[in-house]
């Protein structure tokens, strides 16, 4: 068994492309090997800014011999058919074929054997093809060649069992040499296998494994921070990005001029992170410290002093720009920016951003009536001003700070902490892992913004289709679900949609009608199902609850829906629940068969007590009446556990009924009366859910 080592050495590969490129290289090469009948083991890839490396263990020396059989015409078939078979199978005469028999008679079979080929020869075919077809998001050509790669490809190292696999691509001959760090060890050197390759690269100041580089960066940055009594601000995404920018990471610590520390710390960290790839540090109070971590790609002779000085100068210029924007923006009140929003179109048919701000203001005022502790005036004011920071210089420069800059501007304007926080949080939650609005007023404004977005885009025919969701409407709907469920807000969703529809009246009469209302409601409910399934709720129980009348009052309250699903799940995990479900399914199966004869709904009427012939019928009728009454009362007070307990009392009389009573009695009246009893079992259980949707 042999080891394949492949390295594609090039100019700098963008950090954001490295991980996917490694995965693609493994997939493309192993798939091609499998197609030829060759399987290796422990295929893995590594990427640095200048190289993409693949290692596969346990490859055989040769591909397996292949025996193929081609079925031909029957013995005695016309000569024309036999000649065609010989040509297709590559035989000179029919004597080279064998004769086999099956149920239809004897027929010719051409048996051909293909000898295996050297794996090295196979790899020599595969690798150039993979390089030429490599799926880079963006690629380029260079020089006079036709090859496309993410950046100019300099060399290809390809070794199988310590021997070079010879091939050539666009003038580049494969070999067994590579190079170390661009500045600290630029000379070429030969390697014989992966262990030798990794060790020599380390000697040449290249850490091949990106996970190790990230570890070195993190450990070094923490040590530098702790030496000054500071804490590294954890940033996993930035850590891996920086690991993709260096081959020999050397963390260094720099200083931020105190004059910039009055600028909001989010502005400073955004500038450091987005533009310079620096790590931020916190002091003991948890505030941004006037230090930063920069990661160099070499060991400087002066210990990194020049590198730190250079980065401090660059950062000073960046922060000076940010402070200028901050100072300029604070000269204009949020309220005075609204007129500028009128010039910014939100979307065709949905007015300007100012129009949207006014809509969500009115909607937030209405919604605040349904959210305890929300203040109608604060919600209205915050919603009206929520989009005003979009026309500030700071948000233009740092779009990721929208909302947050509104918070700072609102505080500068003296609007109060509650209003400022509601403005800050109105985009939340941005994604599944994002935090929720901190305050009740923020919650109301966030709901208003998302409902307005959903109703608006559905109203102008821009509902998501398939995987296409350019306006992130699924994210908005999921945000509504998360806010209501995780904050346990009792909320009439249909009424809220009605209120949102009203706000669009002046833009398109008739456009935002009941169809849009129902479509948006269903869309949000679908997100709720996904949310519950992701948290382990059984999909059949979710469907069982949703199959009830969606127009009934409780079922537009998401908190109530989830409570019902949870109670149903707990009930069906008990023995009573399992047995009652079995009895329900037996009853509904009988009803389904008999209703085919007598018509759907033929047994929905109340049974006639005078026709009860056996005690089990009387007991079951009494139990159903009691259970239905108790279950309805429990549902009315939203005590679903009690409703399930009431239904559980049906188990014994249902079991006794099926044990002792023959449903299809000879007397037609008695038969119909007993089927009505079964229909009442079905109705009783449907007080809490449609049990026909429950599996098992």
């Amino acid at each position: 068994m042999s080891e394949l080592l492949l390295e594609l050495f090039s100019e700098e590969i963008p950090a954001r492309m490295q991980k996917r490129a490694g995965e693609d290289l493994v997939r493309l090469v192993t798939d091609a090997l499998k197609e030829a009948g060759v399987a290796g083991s422990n295929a893995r890839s590594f990427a640095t800014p200048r190289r993409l490396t693949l290692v596969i263990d346990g490859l055989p020396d040769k591909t397996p011999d292949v025996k193929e059989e081609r079925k031909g015409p029957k013995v005695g078939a016309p000569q024309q058919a036999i000649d065609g078979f010989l040509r297709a199978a590559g035989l000179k005469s029919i004597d080279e074929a064998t004769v086999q028999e099956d149920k239809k008679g004897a027929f010719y079979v051409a048996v051909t054997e293909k000898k295996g080929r050297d794996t090295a020869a196979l790899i020599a075919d595969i690798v150039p093809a993979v390089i030429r077809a490599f799926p880079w998001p963006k690629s380029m050509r260079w020089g006079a060649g036709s090859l496309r790669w993410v950046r100019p490809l300099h060399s290809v190292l390809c070794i199988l069992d310590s021997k070079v696999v010879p091939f050539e691509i666009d003038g580049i001959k494969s070999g067994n040499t590579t190079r170390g760090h661009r500045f600290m060890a630029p000379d070429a050197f030969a390697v014989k296998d992966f262990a030798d390759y990794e060790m020599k690269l380390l000697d040449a100041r290249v850490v091949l494994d990106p996970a190790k580089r990230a570890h070195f960066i993190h450990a070094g940055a923490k040590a530098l921070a702790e030496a000054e009594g500071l804490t590294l601000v954890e940033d996993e995404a930035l850590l891996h990005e920086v690991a993709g920018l260096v081959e020999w990471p050397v963390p260094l610590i720099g200083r931020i001029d105190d004059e910039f520390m009055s600028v909001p710390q989010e502005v400073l960290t955004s500038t450091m992170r987005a533009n310079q790839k620096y790590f931020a540090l916190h002091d003991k109070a948890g505030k941004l410290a006037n230090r930063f971590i920069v990661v160099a790609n070499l060991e400087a002779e002066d210990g990194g002093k020049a590198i730190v000085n250079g980065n401090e100068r660059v950062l000073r210029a960046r922060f000076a720009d940010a402070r200028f924007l901050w100072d300029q923006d604070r000269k204009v009140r949020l309220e005075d920016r609204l007129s500028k929003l009128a010039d910014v179109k939100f979307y065709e048919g949905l007015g300007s951003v100012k129009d949207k701000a006014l809509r969500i203001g009115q909607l937030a005022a209405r919604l605040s009536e349904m959210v305890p502790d929300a203040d109608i005036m604060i919600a209205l004011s915050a919603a009206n001003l929520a989009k005003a920071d979009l026309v500030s210089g700071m948000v233009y420069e740092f779009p990721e700070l929208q909302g947050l800059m509104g918070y700072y501007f609102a505080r500068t304007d003296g609007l109060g902490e509650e209003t400022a926080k509601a403005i800050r949080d109105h985009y939340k939650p941005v994604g599944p892992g994002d935090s929720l609005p901190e305050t009740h007023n923020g919650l109301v404004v966030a709901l208003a913004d998302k409902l307005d977005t959903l109703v608006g885009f559905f109203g102008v025919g821009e509902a998501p289709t398939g995987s296409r969701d350019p306006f992130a409407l699924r994210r908005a709907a999921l945000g509504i679900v998360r806010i209501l469920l995780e904050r346990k807000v009792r909320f009439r969703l249909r009424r809220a949609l009605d209120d949102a529809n009203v706000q669009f009246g002046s833009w398109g009469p008739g456009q935002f009608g009941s169809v849009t209302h129902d479509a948006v409601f269903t869309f949000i409910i679908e997100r709720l199902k996904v949310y519950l399934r992701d948290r382990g709720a059984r999909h059949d129980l979710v469907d069982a609850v949703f199959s009830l009348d969606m127009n009934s009052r409780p079922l537009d309250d998401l908190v109530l829906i989830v409570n019902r699903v949870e109670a149903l799940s707990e009930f069906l995990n008990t023995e009573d629940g399992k047995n009652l479900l079995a009895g329900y399914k037996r009853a509904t199966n009988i009803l389904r068969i008999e209703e085919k004869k007598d018509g759907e709904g033929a047994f929905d009427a109340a049974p006639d007590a005078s026709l009860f012939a056996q005690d089990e019928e009387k007991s079951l009728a009494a139990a159903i009446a009691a259970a239905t009454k108790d279950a309805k009362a429990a549902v009315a007070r939203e005590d679903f556990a009690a409703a399930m307990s009431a239904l559980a009392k049906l188990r014994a009389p249902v079991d006794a009924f099926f044990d002792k009573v023959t449903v299809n009695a000879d007397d037609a009246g008695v038969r119909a009366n007993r089927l009505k009893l079964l229909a009442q079992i079905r109705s009783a259980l449907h007080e809490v859910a449609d049990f026909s949707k429950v599996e098992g």
Side-chain angles (χ1 to χ4, degrees):
M1 292 295 178
S2 303
E3 174 198 83
L4 170 65
L5 172 61
L6 173 66
E7 182 204 64
L8 306 171
F9 186 86
S10 68
E11 294 293 333
E12 269 73 3
I13 305 169
R16 68 181 185 282
M17 297 183 187
Q18 292 171 15
K19 184 174 184 293
R20 176 64 182 272
E23 294 168 353
D24 285 339
L25 184 60
V26 169
R27 175 178 55 81
L28 292 171
V29 174
T30 55
D31 284 356
L33 288 171
K34 283 179 186 175
E35 191 174 334
V38 175
S41 62
N42 196 24
R44 56 213 185 270
S45 65
F46 304 92
T48 79
R50 303 173 73 202
R51 65 197 83 221
L52 196 56
T53 301
L54 169 70
V55 191
I56 304 177
D57 300 329
L59 289 173
D61 296 335
K62 297 183 67 174
T63 64
D65 296 341
V66 178
K67 182 178 180 180
E68 294 181 348
E69 291 188 355
R70 178 189 287 269
K71 187 176 180 180
K74 284 185 176 180
V75 174
Q79 188 59 40
Q80 189 176 6
I82 292 176
D83 290 342
F85 166 63
L86 294 176
R87 282 195 300 274
L91 301 181
K92 294 179 180 178
S93 77
I94 199 64
D95 294 337
E96 295 179 5
T98 62
V99 176
Q100 297 181 12
E101 291 189 5
D102 61 11
K103 295 179 181 177
K104 296 182 180 178
F107 56 90
Y108 293 110
V109 174
V111 180
T112 57
E113 292 187 3
K114 291 183 179 177
K115 292 292 183 184
R117 58 186 300 205
D118 288 341
T119 303
L122 175 67
I123 291 171
D125 289 342
I126 288 174
V127 173
V130 166
I131 292 174
R132 290 194 182 282
F134 204 80
W136 291 108
K138 289 183 179 178
S139 59
M140 61 181 292
R141 291 172 55 190
W142 61 95
S146 60
L147 182 63
R148 298 190 71 88
W149 197 246
V150 61
R151 296 289 185 272
L153 186 65
H154 288 324
S155 66
V156 177
L157 181 155
C158 190
I159 301 172
L160 182 68
D161 194 22
S162 301
K163 298 175 184 174
V164 173
V165 177
F167 59 83
E168 181 175 340
I169 178 167
D170 214 47
I172 303 172
K173 291 184 178 179
S174 59
N176 62 349
T177 60
T178 184
R179 294 175 182 275
H181 191 279
R182 180 189 290 275
F183 304 113
M184 294 190 290
D187 294 337
F189 54 87
V191 301
K192 60 181 181 181
D193 55 29
F194 178 67
D196 186 43
Y197 170 78
E198 190 175 29
M199 184 184 69
K200 288 182 175 175
L201 277 180
L202 194 61
D203 290 342
R205 298 295 188 268
V206 173
V207 179
L208 178 65
D209 189 341
K212 288 182 180 176
R213 295 199 300 275
H215 172 73
F216 292 156
I217 293 168
H218 187 255
K222 280 189 71 175
L224 288 170
E226 288 169 2
E228 299 205 20
L230 305 173
T231 305
L232 175 71
V233 177
E234 300 291 342
D235 191 332
E236 192 78 10
L238 179 61
L239 178 64
H240 290 292
E241 183 178 4
V242 174
L245 298 172
V246 294
E247 290 197 315
W248 189 256
V250 180
L252 302 167
I253 190 165
R255 176 182 291 275
I256 301 170
D257 287 350
D258 290 339
E259 62 180 297
F260 298 118
M261 297 307 291
S262 61
V263 178
Q265 67 176 31
E266 292 88 349
V267 174
L268 301 182
T269 53
S270 288
T271 301
M272 288 195 292
R273 187 184 193 284
N275 301 120
Q276 303 304 126
K277 313 304 178 192
Y278 298 159
F279 293 89
L281 303 173
H282 278 168
D283 60 19
K284 290 181 180 176
K287 294 185 177 179
L288 185 69
N290 60 345
R291 298 283 194 281
F292 67 92
I293 298 291
V294 57
V295 179
N297 188 29
L298 54 80
E299 291 175 348
E301 293 181 355
D302 64 353
K305 290 182 181 177
I307 295 173
V308 170
N309 289 338
N311 281 278
E312 286 177 344
R313 281 197 302 275
V314 172
L315 193 60
R316 196 174 300 122
R318 291 280 187 184
F319 282 173
D321 292 343
R323 187 178 60 182
F324 173 78
L325 292 174
W326 170 241
D327 290 340
Q328 293 300 309
D329 283 341
R330 283 185 297 164
K331 295 177 181 176
V332 182
R333 294 178 60 82
L334 278 177
E335 188 177 349
D336 296 332
R337 295 182 183 279
L338 291 179
S339 59
K340 276 192 172 181
L341 290 179
D343 299 329
V344 182
K345 180 182 284 188
F346 176 61
Y347 193 74
E348 187 67 37
L350 299 178
S352 66
V353 177
K354 182 181 179 182
D355 294 328
K356 178 176 177 64
L358 296 178
R359 285 197 305 268
I360 67 173
Q362 294 300 314
L363 183 55
R366 293 279 295 166
L367 299 186
S368 63
E369 298 173 2
M370 291 194 280
V371 178
D373 299 324
D375 184 290
I376 185 171
M377 295 310 297
I378 291 177
L380 174 63
S381 173
N384 280 340
L385 298 174
K387 305 296 181 186
D389 66 351
L390 293 177
V391 289
S392 68
M394 193 67 83
V395 172
Y396 180 82
E397 187 71 20
F398 304 105
E400 69 275 16
L401 296 181
Q402 58 183 328
L404 184 63
M405 294 316 304
Y407 165 76
Y408 283 111
F409 297 148
R411 294 180 69 188
T412 300
D413 292 350
L415 297 179
E417 194 68 12
E418 273 288 320
T419 302
K421 286 182 177 177
I423 291 173
R424 178 193 65 189
D425 292 347
H426 84 280
Y427 291 109
K428 288 179 173 290
V430 177
D434 192 28
S435 60
L436 300 177
E438 181 181 320
T439 65
H440 289 87
N441 292 305
L443 181 155
V444 167
V445 180
L447 287 173
D449 186 32
K450 291 168 177 56
L451 287 167
D452 178 88
T453 297
L454 286 170
V455 171
F457 281 107
F458 269 72
V460 295
E462 292 289 0
T465 55
S467 60
R468 188 174 174 275
D469 185 14
F471 306 108
L473 301 187
R474 291 189 179 93
R475 190 171 68 188
L478 181 60
I480 293 171
V481 169
R482 283 194 58 204
I483 288 173
L484 297 179
L485 292 185
E486 295 176 23
R487 286 293 167 80
K488 298 191 180 306
V489 177
R490 304 297 303 274
F491 196 77
R492 296 297 313 281
L493 188 54
R494 283 189 176 277
R495 183 190 135 179
L497 290 170
D498 286 339
D499 291 338
N501 277 340
V502 168
Q503 306 308 320
F504 283 96
S506 61
W507 275 274
Q511 192 175 23
F512 300 92
S514 60
V515 174
T516 299
H517 177 292
D518 291 341
V520 176
F521 180 74
T522 302
F523 184 73
I524 295 173
I525 294 301
E526 287 301 319
R527 293 302 101 195
L528 172 62
K529 289 182 180 180
V530 173
Y531 175 87
L532 292 176
R533 288 170 191 170
D534 288 346
R535 280 150 185 79
R538 282 171 48 180
H539 69 88
D540 56 330
L541 302 192
V542 176
D543 290 338
V545 170
F546 279 103
S547 294
L548 297 179
D549 182 5
M550 300 300 287
N551 292 313
S552 63
R553 181 188 179 282
L555 289 184
D556 75 342
D557 181 337
L558 303 193
V559 174
L560 214 55
I561 290 171
V562 173
N563 289 344
R564 192 179 290 218
V565 170
E566 290 174 348
L568 182 59
S569 177
E570 290 178 9
F571 175 63
L572 291 175
N573 283 330
T574 65
E575 280 303 308
D576 281 348
K578 292 173 184 173
N579 288 333
L580 186 59
L581 176 63
Y584 167 88
K585 288 191 176 295
R586 188 174 178 183
T588 51
N589 285 338
I590 294 171
L591 281 169
R592 185 173 61 252
I593 295 169
E594 299 306 317
E595 283 176 342
K596 285 182 180 176
K597 304 172 188 173
D598 296 68
E600 189 175 351
F603 309 111
D604 286 346
D608 184 350
S610 65
L611 294 177
F612 291 149
Q614 295 179 223
D615 290 343
E616 288 77 11
E617 295 173 82
K618 299 172 185 174
S619 298
L620 179 57
I624 290 173
T628 302
K629 179 183 176 184
D630 292 345
K632 278 186 176 178
V635 168
R637 63 176 185 274
E638 300 176 3
D639 187 349
F640 300 113
M644 297 299 171
S645 297
L647 295 177
K649 294 175 183 174
L650 287 174
R651 176 192 167 184
V654 167
D655 289 347
F657 178 85
F658 283 121
D659 286 344
K660 301 292 185 180
V661 178
T662 301
V663 175
N664 286 317
D666 293 336
D667 185 300
V670 173
R671 166 185 170 272
N673 208 51
R674 290 172 177 172
L675 288 168
K676 289 175 182 175
L677 264 179
L678 298 188
Q680 287 212 317
I681 296 174
R682 180 174 61 188
S683 299
L685 268 66
H686 283 196
E687 288 295 327
V688 291
D690 184 349
F691 277 63
S692 68
K693 303 292 183 182
V694 179
E695 297 177 355

